[in-house]
Amino acid sequence: MVSPDQVAARRQLLEQLRLELLAAPELATYCGAKRPVCGEGNPAAGVVLVGEAPGGREDRLGRPFVGPAGQILAEALADAGIRRDEVWITNVVKCRPTIEGVGGRLRNRTPTPAEVAWFRPWLLRELDIVRPRAIVCLGATAGSGVLQRPVKITRERGTWVEGPGGTPTLVTYHPAYLLRRSEDRETRYAEFVADLRLAAARAASGEGGGPG
Ligand code: URA
């Protein structure tokens, strides 16, 4: 069990990390005028969920997964019997990657390898503070950012591999992918919920890289 004092200490370390990121001289190169969206949740969580990068709503509110993908994630967490505030939710890239669309409107784009690489040490430090027993990567970009190799969700979904620091890690769908499915949405959604349950069970079982 992690004591309340340890939880408070980790929260403080995560806050220090956020302040360090805000002060990083290269941040403007990777973030532009946008502000980073850092992780949130339980600083001593058994499960860390890692997404790709914040979208528009996340950028506006400064919180991860609070837009349409976040709604699916919230639904799936609830169906898996997991409270959002019991996990730690973060992204491989902390600033919204955008591209100018029609009429100058900003649209989301996939982060570049350079963006993923620049934010990786911050993610690793974050994981090192939370020390989860299980990591869940939401989508292929998050999976390859965490595992540092190409990831194919259709082939690897729901299977455990060794992640950073030896932590058991699995990749699953990105919730936004589920938003786009029509025919097989229910099946994919059920798989997504099953993967979240699997991670919670793994964390609860005590196997993994977290604290005793
Ligand atoms: N998609 C992500 O990958 N992360 C977020 O925080 C929001 C949407």
Side-chain angles (χ1 to χ4, degrees), residues 153-175:
I153 299 294
T154 44
R155 202 166 47 218
E156 296 187 45
R157 205 217 94 240
T159 55
W160 291 107
V161 294
E162 204 172 287
T167 309
T169 299
L170 64 76
V171 296
T172 187
Y173 302 120
H174 191 287

Side-chain angles (χ1 to χ4, degrees), residues 37 50-56 58 63-70 89-93 108 138 142 174-176:
V37 175
V50 185
E52 179 176 311
E58 287 78 16
R63 296 180 56 204
F65 282 102
V66 288
I89 304 181
T90 192
N91 284 296
V92 286
V93 165
N108 296 334
L138 305 172
H174 191 287

